[in-house]
Amino acid sequence: MNHDALLADLDDDQRRAVTCAPTATIIHAGAGSGKTRVLTHRIAWRIAQGTADPSRVLAITFTREAAAEMRKRLRALGITRHDRAGDLDQPTIGTFHSVALALLRRRASDTSAQLPTVVGNRVSLLDQALGENPLGRQSAAVLAEIDWAHARMVSPERYEAEVERIGRKVALAPARVASAYRAYEQLKAKRGLVDLDDLISQATRAINERADFAAATRFRFRHIFVDEAQDMNPLQYGFFEALRGDREDVFIVGDPLQAIYGWNGADPALFTSLPDALNKPTVLTLPSNYRCTPQVLAMATHVATNNGTIPNVHSRRSSGFPVEYLEVEDEYDEDHLLRHIVAPHVQAGIVPSFAVLARTHAVLEPLARALSAAGIPVASRRASTVRTNAIDEVAECRTRHDLTVWAADIIVESTDDDERIVAEQVQAYLRSSVRGEVDGRSAAAYLRASHAAPENYGVELLTFHAAKGREFSRVVIVGAERGLMPHSSASSEEQLREEARLAYVACTRAADHLTVIRAKRRKGRVTTPSPYFAQLPDGVEQRGSHVVEAPRQRLSTPTDPGVLAERDLKRRLRDVRDVIARTNFTLPEAVLSDVEIARIVAERPCDVEHLARILGPLTANRLGGAILREVSHTATP
C-alpha cells in the first residue's frame, strides 16, 4: 500500500500519531478513537518508510482476540500474508504470555533444555499441595490471590506484609493465603510445572541474566509496539523493559480512563510514569470518539467525572437515540423488562450487536437462565470439558507426526466445534514451529497459553471487565445500584476511582443505544441508586417501568423479505466456506470468519476490489470467484 493510501482515511490527530518520528512515542487513545487502526497503520507506515524491518517488529496485546484483529488489519494493509503468527519474515504479534512462551521455546530449542509444562488443573494442584488441609470452595479465591502476587512480583514470604501495607481485602486470613501460596509454589517447582505468569517471569529472567540471549532477543525485536498499556502490571512491565533494554524505538498506546485491572495486579501508574522512564518521548492524544453517539458519550463522560477527571473526548458521530435510565421494582421486573427490550432485537436478526452488561456474574446468571427459558439465544464464551480433554490428548502425542495425524483426524471426523478448534490451533502451532523438537507437551503448553473458548451465537451477557475491548450497537447495563456500582468491595480511594473507570468502560461499549436499569430492591433488600447516575445530563430519558410478562413462547422467524434474503446468503456463504475447509483440512472459521460473512452480506460487494477491502487482497483473490457468485445470485431486498 502506498503512503497516501495509508493516511487517506485518518483524521489529523491519527495522522500525527502514525507519521511522527520513529522515537519513543506514547499515545493517549480514548474509547472509540481508532487506536487499533492507528497502531496498525503506524506499523505499516514505518515499514513503508523503511524505518522498520517487518521481521523485527513485535506488537504485544492483552488478548488473543486483539492479536488476531491486529494481524487481520495488517494483512489488509499488505503487511502480513497470513492471519496467524509464526512467519519469520513477518511482524510478531501476540499476548505477553504467548510472546514469553515463544521466547522460552526458542531458548529450549537452542540449549536442548526441556520446555516448561503449563499447569492444567490449578485447583487440583493446589489441593494436592495442601494435603490434608484443602481449601474447598475457597481455592479459587486463593488462586486469584496467587495471581495477584505473581503480577505484583510478591513472593510468598512478602505476601502478608504487602497485603497489610496496601490495605488489600482478602477473603481468607493473609497468613493462610501465604501458607497455601508457598506450598503451591513448592509443588510446582518439584513437578517442573509453571503457571502462565511464570512464563513471563522466566522469559524476563533469561533476558536479564543471559547477555547472549538478551542480545539475540533485542536484535530479533527492534521495534516494539504495546497496546492497552494502561493495564500493564509490574510483571508485564518488567518483561517490556527487558525486551526494550535502553532503546527508544517503542510505540505505546493506552488510555488511563480505561485502567480497570488493579484488582488483578495491574498498576495504571506504570503507564502515567512512562514519560519519565523514556527519554523525552513524543506524547500525543486521540480525542475523537467514532463509536459512540453524542448522547452515549455524554452519559459516559458524566460517569467518568466520578474519577475526578473530565475526559478529553468528543463524539464525531451525528445525534442519536436518547440514553434511557429506567427504574424497576426488583430483579424480577428487571428480568421482564430485559426480555421486553431484547425480543424485538432478536426478531430483527441482529443479536450479535446486543449486549447486557453487569458488574458481576452473580447478576448475569439468573438473567441468562430467564432469557434462555424465553427462547432467546444467549452467547457463551466459557471453555468446555471437551476442549480440556482434547488438550490432554494432545499432550499424549510424542512426535510432530503424531500431532499432525491427531489434528487431521479430528478435523475430518469430529463434529464438536470445541474439539475442532483445538485441532486447528495444533495445525497453526505446527506451521509456526519450523525449528526444534516438537511434541505433545510443547503443543499442550502452547494451547493452554493461547486459550480461546468458542463463541456461541446469541445475546452477549458480559461483566464490565469481560466487555473491555468490545463494542455493540445496543447495550443494556443492569444493576445500577450502590454495592454493585461501585462494588461493595471497593474501599480505598484508588479502588473507588477504578470502579468509576469501570463504569465508564461499560457505557462506552454502546455505539448507538444505551439503557441503564436500576432495581429498587434486589434479593429482598432496598437498594440505593448508584452515585454514577445522579444528576444525569440533559436529554437522558428517566422513568420507572413496569412490564407485564407475556406468555412464554419461542420467537418467530422473521418474514421480512430483506431479512430472509440476508439469512439465505449467509447460509450459502457458510456452505461455500465448509466445502473449502473440508478440502483443505482446516476449520471453516480459518477460511472465512462469521464477522467477514456478516460484512459481505451487509455490503454486497460486486467485484474483487470491493471484496478486498473486507477480506484483504490475497483472500479476496483466492475466494473471490465463489463468494461473488453467491452474492450475485441474491435478490436485492
Side-chain angles (χ1 to χ4, degrees):
M1 181 174 287
N2 62 48
H3 299 181
D4 292 337
L6 280 172
L7 305 179
D9 297 326
L10 304 179
D11 65 30
D12 291 342
D13 296 304
Q14 293 171 335
R15 192 174 293 111
R16 277 191 288 272
V18 167
T19 61
C20 66
T23 58
T25 304
I26 301 170
I27 306 295
H28 288 249
S33 62
K35 66 176 181 60
T36 304
R37 180 181 181 83
V38 165
L39 201 154
T40 52
H41 278 66
R42 171 67 169 181
I43 294 173
W45 174 264
R46 290 282 308 274
I47 292 171
Q49 291 286 310
T51 61
D53 179 344
S55 66
R56 308 301 183 200
V57 168
L58 170 64
I60 303 177
T61 69
F62 277 79
T63 67
R64 291 189 68 256
E65 291 85 355
E69 178 64 20
M70 196 179 299
R71 285 194 291 272
K72 184 176 179 180
R73 295 197 189 195
L74 285 172
R75 180 184 65 183
L77 295 174
I79 302 303
T80 57
R81 292 194 302 269
H82 306 287
D83 192 17
R84 66 172 190 263
D87 294 309
L88 296 180
D89 59 344
Q90 299 298 315
T92 297
I93 302 169
T95 65
F96 281 93
H97 293 117
S98 64
V99 171
L101 177 59
L103 288 176
L104 292 174
R105 189 166 62 224
R106 175 62 63 87
R107 177 125 183 96
S109 175
D110 293 343
T111 62
S112 299
Q114 186 173 345
L115 188 69
T117 301
V118 178
V119 176
N121 189 329
R122 301 179 72 208
V123 172
S124 175
L125 187 68
L126 179 60
D127 287 344
Q128 293 174 52
L130 297 177
E132 297 180 355
N133 300 299
L135 293 164
R137 294 182 179 180
Q138 295 177 318
S139 294
V142 170
L143 287 170
E145 282 303 297
I146 291 174
D147 288 341
W148 174 84
H150 284 165
R152 290 279 178 160
M153 303 174 70
V154 175
S155 67
E157 291 71 27
R158 291 179 47 230
Y159 175 81
E160 283 186 80
E162 186 66 13
V163 166
E164 181 179 359
R165 183 184 72 81
I166 66 174
R168 180 175 174 83
K169 287 186 177 180
V170 184
L172 282 76
R176 175 69 166 135
V177 176
S179 176
Y181 181 14
R182 186 179 300 106
Y184 181 76
E185 294 298 309
Q186 290 172 347
L187 186 58
K188 275 197 313 181
K190 181 178 180 181
R191 296 187 179 180
L193 302 174
V194 296
D195 281 324
L196 292 180
D197 283 339
D198 292 328
L199 298 175
I200 298 177
S201 61
Q202 288 190 11
T204 303
R205 187 164 56 250
I207 294 171
N208 289 336
E209 295 179 356
R210 297 300 301 265
D212 56 340
F213 186 58
T217 300
R218 291 167 186 161
F219 178 78
R220 172 75 176 85
F221 299 132
R222 300 181 194 174
H223 324 290
I224 301 176
F225 298 77
V226 182
D227 193 14
E228 302 283 9
Q230 78 280 347
D231 288 328
M232 280 195 294
N233 59 46
L235 179 65
Q236 293 162 339
Y237 184 81
F239 184 44
F240 161 72
E241 284 288 85
L243 290 168
R244 183 177 75 88
D246 58 358
R247 299 170 300 167
E248 299 178 8
D249 194 347
V250 294
F251 189 85
I252 304 168
V253 180
D255 179 11
L257 266 176
Q258 297 189 72
I260 60 172
Y261 292 104
W263 60 274
N264 202 27
D267 185 356
L270 295 173
F271 179 74
T272 56
S273 67
L274 278 171
D276 296 326
L278 301 173
N279 182 26
K280 297 180 179 179
T282 299
V283 181
L284 300 171
T285 301
L286 303 179
S288 297
N289 183 305
Y290 292 92
R291 175 192 303 153
C292 306
T293 63
Q295 288 84 353
V296 171
L297 195 58
M299 176 66 100
T301 300
H302 174 79
V303 168
T305 58
N306 286 276
N307 189 29
T309 58
I310 299 177
N312 177 24
V313 293
H314 56 268
S315 175
R316 297 291 290 266
R317 295 189 56 192
S318 58
S319 183
F321 298 104
V323 172
E324 297 173 306
Y325 178 81
L326 309 179
E327 290 192 337
V328 296
E329 291 303 316
D330 52 29
E331 63 265 43
Y332 302 105
D333 276 357
E334 180 181 71
D335 163 24
H336 300 164
L337 175 59
L338 186 59
R339 280 185 264 170
H340 178 78
I341 293 172
V342 172
H345 216 70
V346 176
Q347 290 173 317
I350 50 177
V351 173
S353 63
F354 194 112
V356 179
L357 308 184
R359 176 63 179 83
T360 67
H361 286 292
V363 174
L364 291 173
E365 287 169 357
L367 294 175
R369 291 193 295 269
L371 290 175
S372 297
I376 296 172
V378 175
S380 172
R381 284 176 164 265
R382 296 187 177 183
S384 72
T385 303
V386 174
R387 176 183 170 85
T388 302
N389 292 340
I391 293 177
D392 289 341
E393 290 181 15
V394 168
E396 296 299 319
C397 295
R398 291 189 172 186
T399 65
R400 177 187 290 271
H401 175 73
D402 291 345
L403 288 167
T404 302
V405 171
W406 182 89
D409 287 347
I410 293 297
I411 287 174
V412 172
E413 298 176 4
S414 178
T415 59
D416 186 273
D417 289 339
D418 292 20
E419 202 171 37
R420 287 166 59 82
I421 286 173
V422 173
E424 194 275 337
Q425 290 174 336
V426 169
Q427 290 185 329
Y429 171 76
L430 292 171
R431 288 193 296 266
S432 65
S433 302
V434 295
R435 298 179 181 176
E437 185 176 349
V438 172
D439 59 16
R441 292 182 66 194
S442 62
Y446 168 87
L447 292 169
R448 290 177 180 128
S450 58
H451 167 71
E455 180 179 348
N456 298 323
Y457 174 85
V459 176
E460 298 247 26
L461 271 66
L462 302 167
T463 64
F464 294 168
H465 286 102
K468 176 75 183 300
R470 308 287 303 283
E471 64 177 79
F472 306 89
S473 175
R474 182 161 191 176
V475 167
V476 177
I477 294 176
V478 296
E481 304 117 38
R482 189 183 292 273
L484 289 171
M485 299 176 66
H487 194 267
S488 57
S489 63
S491 57
S492 68
E493 280 191 28
E494 177 50 40
Q495 289 170 337
L496 290 170
R497 284 195 293 268
E498 182 164 312
E499 288 292 313
R501 295 193 296 265
L502 189 56
Y504 171 80
V505 167
C507 290
T508 54
R509 300 311 93 194
D512 305 309
H513 202 157
L514 174 64
T515 300
V516 179
I517 301 177
R518 175 226 167 180
K520 296 178 183 178
R521 298 178 66 88
R522 190 175 294 278
K523 295 184 177 180
R525 297 180 179 178
V526 176
T527 69
T528 302
S530 167
Y532 302 151
F533 302 105
Q535 300 177 342
L536 291 170
D538 293 340
V540 174
E541 292 188 354
Q542 304 181 57
R543 62 181 185 272
S545 181
H546 179 72
V547 179
V548 178
E549 184 175 12
R552 293 183 180 179
Q553 58 182 359
R554 289 281 164 180
L555 296 171
S556 59
T557 302
T559 56
D560 178 82
V563 174
L564 292 175
E566 288 185 356
R567 290 196 169 184
D568 180 63
L569 178 55
K570 284 183 182 178
R571 178 188 58 76
R572 287 187 284 110
L573 288 174
R574 289 186 180 118
D575 288 343
V576 170
R577 178 179 71 176
D578 290 346
V579 170
I580 295 172
R582 286 195 296 271
T583 303
N584 291 278
F585 296 96
T586 190
L587 279 178
E589 290 76 11
V591 176
L592 200 63
S593 72
D594 287 340
V595 172
E596 290 168 333
I597 288 177
R599 285 193 60 189
I600 292 169
V601 172
E603 298 183 23
R604 304 287 178 90
C606 58
D607 54 36
V608 173
E609 183 179 357
H610 186 172
L611 188 62
R613 293 198 292 272
I614 301 173
L615 305 178
L618 294 175
T619 303
N621 286 328
R622 189 173 72 252
L623 306 180
I627 292 174
L628 294 175
R629 181 170 58 252
E630 297 302 329
V631 172
S632 66
H633 291 166
T634 301
T636 302

